[in-house]
Amino acid sequence: MLVESETRQVICTAVDKGKTDDFKLLKQSRLPFVCSQLCLAERGYQGFAKRHAGACTPTKKCRKQPLPKAEKQHNQALARLRVRVELGIRRFKSFRLFSGCYRHRRRRFGLRLNLIAGLLNYELAHAS
């Protein structure tokens, strides 16, 4: 799910059958990214920086060595920026459909996800 950080609107969603890694879904979707566009991603998207110049992902620590102080501060700064995106994703959890185990037809999951994303975007656009 791609969320715009300033407005918290959902830009794009992608679904696949079964359990699929988020980064694999991103690669399969072949979304065009503009080089000047900044993309804040979580740790699961570690290879994204190789594909897109504007990608920022947190640094992972090595097994036997602690993370240096500068990299810890970098990760904390990214986390502060990503909070707005996570709050945008959190709005989906208010729907019981997405907060627990999905028990309906699998074919319609993408449709329901897009419909609720449209409702939430409409609500954000007409909030005042």
Side-chain angles (χ1 to χ4, degrees):
M1 183 178 307
L2 290 176
V3 178
E4 207 274 316
S5 65
E6 294 299 317
T7 62
R8 296 184 194 161
Q9 286 191 339
V10 177
I11 299 169
C12 178
T13 61
V15 293
D16 198 15
K17 294 179 182 178
K19 293 182 180 181
T20 308
D21 187 37
D22 292 341
F23 187 51
K24 186 175 182 179
L25 271 176
L26 181 68
K27 286 191 276 187
Q28 288 175 355
S29 67
R30 298 181 187 229
L31 290 171
F33 287 99
V34 181
C35 292
S36 62
Q37 188 177 29
L38 178 65
C39 296
L40 303 174
E42 53 193 26
R43 285 192 179 124
Y45 295 88
Q46 285 296 315
F48 189 45
K50 294 176 186 173
R51 295 175 168 265
H52 178 59
C56 267
T57 55
T59 313
K60 286 186 175 181
K61 74 175 189 100
C62 296
R63 286 186 186 179
K64 297 181 181 182
Q65 295 178 344
L67 203 59
K69 204 169 199 173
E71 290 182 359
K72 271 189 182 181
Q73 290 174 348
H74 177 262
N75 288 352
Q76 288 173 351
L78 279 177
R80 284 187 203 107
L81 293 173
R82 278 191 42 81
V83 166
R84 295 186 62 86
V85 174
E86 293 296 334
L87 290 176
I89 294 171
R90 179 195 61 142
R91 294 181 304 145
F92 282 88
K93 302 286 179 147
S94 65
F95 290 88
R96 187 169 175 221
L97 188 69
F98 298 116
S99 62
C101 183
Y102 184 75
R103 299 174 188 262
H104 303 284
R105 291 185 183 174
R106 284 186 229 147
R107 284 191 224 156
R108 301 215 176 149
F109 179 76
L111 174 69
R112 290 181 173 132
L113 180 69
N114 287 329
L115 285 172
I116 290 176
L119 283 171
L120 292 173
N121 286 346
Y122 180 80
E123 183 182 81
L124 280 174
H126 295 74
S128 51

